[in-house]
Amino acid sequence: LCDKSAIGFGPRSWRYSMLVEDGVVKKVFSEPNKEGDPYEVSDADTMLKFVAPDATIPPSTLLFTKLGCPFCAKAKALLESKGLAYEEVVVGRDVSSSALQAAAKAATVPQIFMDGKLIGGSEELEKHLA
């Protein structure tokens, strides 16, 4: 165990991941021994790059929508047609319109983020994925 009480966790096991084939450990990805709670090398993306270095990692996609919005439906259909998974946040249900404004600097939906970068609305998404 390592002591992480300085950041509110207390004693815990060190974060790591490993590749095991037929009961044999082939590779261990252990987080560096440094302050805080590093999460740099034990993640799924690191493992994927190791086992399939030519694999393309799909973008992490966040979609702000409103219920009944036809442009939102268009954006979701486009993402689905490209085989891209997304997390949907419904304005007015999951977050307020103020949160949308703070995140996207826009009051209209949809607002799409890919890998943390604001793409914009459905038309911008269409151009981005072309």
Side-chain angles (χ1 to χ4, degrees), residues 5-6 15 20-21 23 31 35 40 48 52-53 66 83-84 87-88 109 113 123 125:
S5 56
R15 187 178 285 144
V20 179
E21 292 179 355
E31 293 300 335
E35 291 297 315
E40 300 169 5
L48 179 60
K66 284 187 181 175
L84 296 173
E87 184 172 343
E88 181 177 9
V109 290
F113 289 81
E123 290 179 2
L125 177 64

Coordinates of all heavy atoms in Angstrom, one line a residue, residues 5-6 15 20-21 23 31 35 40 48 52-53 66 83-84 87-88 109 113 123 125:
S5 N -3.0 9.9 1.9 CA -3.8 10.7 2.8 C -3.7 12.2 2.5 O -4.6 13.0 2.8 CB -3.5 10.4 4.3 OG -2.2 10.6 4.5
A6 N -2.5 12.6 2.0 CA -2.3 14.0 1.6 C -3.3 14.5 0.6 O -3.6 15.7 0.6 CB -0.9 14.2 1.1
R15 N -1.6 2.3 -8.4 CA -2.4 2.1 -9.6 C -1.5 1.5 -10.7 O -0.4 2.0 -10.9 CB -2.9 3.4 -10.1 CG -3.9 3.3 -11.3 CD -4.5 4.6 -11.7 NE -5.5 5.0 -10.7 CZ -5.7 6.2 -10.4 NH1 -5.0 7.2 -10.9 NH2 -6.7 6.5 -9.6
V20 N -1.6 -10.0 -19.2 CA -1.3 -11.4 -18.8 C -1.7 -12.3 -20.0 O -2.9 -12.2 -20.4 CB -2.0 -11.8 -17.5 CG1 -1.7 -13.2 -17.1 CG2 -1.7 -10.8 -16.4
E21 N -0.8 -13.1 -20.4 CA -1.1 -14.1 -21.5 C -0.8 -15.5 -21.0 O 0.3 -15.8 -20.6 CB -0.3 -13.8 -22.8 CG -0.7 -12.6 -23.5 CD 0.1 -12.3 -24.7 OE1 1.1 -13.1 -25.0 OE2 -0.2 -11.3 -25.4
G23 N -1.4 -16.9 -18.2 CA -0.9 -16.9 -16.8 C 0.4 -16.3 -16.7 O 1.0 -16.3 -15.6
E31 N 2.1 3.3 -12.5 CA 2.1 4.7 -12.4 C 3.4 5.2 -11.8 O 4.0 4.5 -10.9 CB 0.9 5.3 -11.7 CG -0.4 5.1 -12.4 CD -0.5 5.7 -13.8 OE1 0.3 6.7 -14.0 OE2 -1.2 5.2 -14.6
E35 N 4.1 12.8 -6.5 CA 3.1 13.4 -5.7 C 1.7 13.4 -6.4 O 1.7 13.4 -7.7 CB 3.4 14.9 -5.3 CG 4.5 15.0 -4.3 CD 4.2 14.5 -3.0 OE1 3.1 14.7 -2.5 OE2 5.1 13.7 -2.5
E40 N -1.3 8.2 -15.7 CA -0.6 8.5 -16.9 C -0.4 7.2 -17.8 O -0.4 7.4 -19.0 CB 0.7 9.1 -16.6 CG 0.6 10.4 -15.9 CD 2.0 10.9 -15.4 OE1 3.0 10.3 -15.7 OE2 2.0 11.9 -14.6
L48 N -4.0 -0.4 -25.1 CA -4.4 -0.6 -26.5 C -3.2 -0.3 -27.4 O -2.9 -1.0 -28.3 CB -5.6 0.3 -26.8 CG -6.0 0.2 -28.3 CD1 -6.4 -1.2 -28.7 CD2 -7.2 1.2 -28.6
A52 N -2.0 -3.2 -29.7 CA -2.4 -2.9 -31.1 C -1.9 -1.5 -31.5 O -2.7 -0.6 -31.6 CB -3.9 -3.1 -31.3
P53 N -0.6 -1.4 -31.7 CA 0.0 -0.1 -32.0 C -0.6 0.7 -33.2 O -0.5 1.9 -33.3 CB 1.5 -0.3 -32.2 CG 1.7 -1.8 -32.2 CD 0.4 -2.5 -31.7
K66 N -30.8 19.1 -26.3 CA -32.1 19.4 -25.7 C -33.1 18.4 -26.2 O -33.0 18.0 -27.4 CB -32.6 20.8 -25.9 CG -31.9 21.9 -25.1 CD -32.5 23.2 -25.3 CE -31.7 24.3 -24.5 NZ -32.3 25.6 -24.8
G83 N -20.0 5.3 -36.5 CA -19.6 4.3 -35.5 C -18.9 5.0 -34.3 O -18.2 4.3 -33.6
L84 N -19.3 6.2 -34.0 CA -18.6 7.0 -32.9 C -19.6 7.0 -31.7 O -20.7 7.5 -31.8 CB -18.3 8.4 -33.3 CG -17.2 8.5 -34.4 CD1 -17.1 9.9 -34.9 CD2 -15.9 8.0 -33.9
E87 N -21.2 10.7 -25.3 CA -21.9 10.9 -24.0 C -22.8 12.1 -24.3 O -22.4 13.1 -24.7 CB -20.9 11.1 -22.9 CG -21.6 11.3 -21.6 CD -20.7 11.3 -20.4 OE1 -19.5 11.0 -20.5 OE2 -21.1 11.8 -19.3
E88 N -24.1 11.9 -23.9 CA -25.0 13.0 -24.2 C -25.4 13.6 -22.8 O -25.7 13.0 -21.8 CB -26.3 12.4 -24.8 CG -27.4 13.4 -25.1 CD -28.6 12.8 -25.8 OE1 -28.7 11.6 -25.9 OE2 -29.5 13.6 -26.2
V109 N -28.1 24.5 -29.1 CA -27.7 23.1 -29.1 C -28.0 22.5 -30.5 O -28.8 23.1 -31.3 CB -28.5 22.2 -28.1 CG1 -28.1 22.6 -26.7 CG2 -30.0 22.4 -28.3
F113 N -18.3 18.4 -28.4 CA -16.8 18.4 -28.1 C -16.2 17.1 -28.5 O -16.8 16.0 -28.2 CB -16.6 18.6 -26.6 CG -17.0 20.0 -26.1 CD1 -18.3 20.4 -25.9 CD2 -16.0 20.9 -25.9 CE1 -18.6 21.6 -25.4 CE2 -16.3 22.2 -25.4 CZ -17.6 22.6 -25.2
E123 N -23.9 21.3 -38.1 CA -23.2 21.6 -39.4 C -21.7 21.5 -39.3 O -21.0 21.0 -40.2 CB -23.7 23.0 -39.9 CG -25.1 23.0 -40.3 CD -25.6 24.3 -40.8 OE1 -24.8 25.3 -40.9 OE2 -26.8 24.4 -41.2
L125 N -20.1 19.7 -37.1 CA -19.8 18.3 -36.9 C -19.7 17.6 -38.3 O -18.8 16.8 -38.6 CB -20.8 17.6 -36.1 CG -20.6 16.1 -35.9 CD1 -19.3 15.8 -35.1 CD2 -21.8 15.5 -35.1

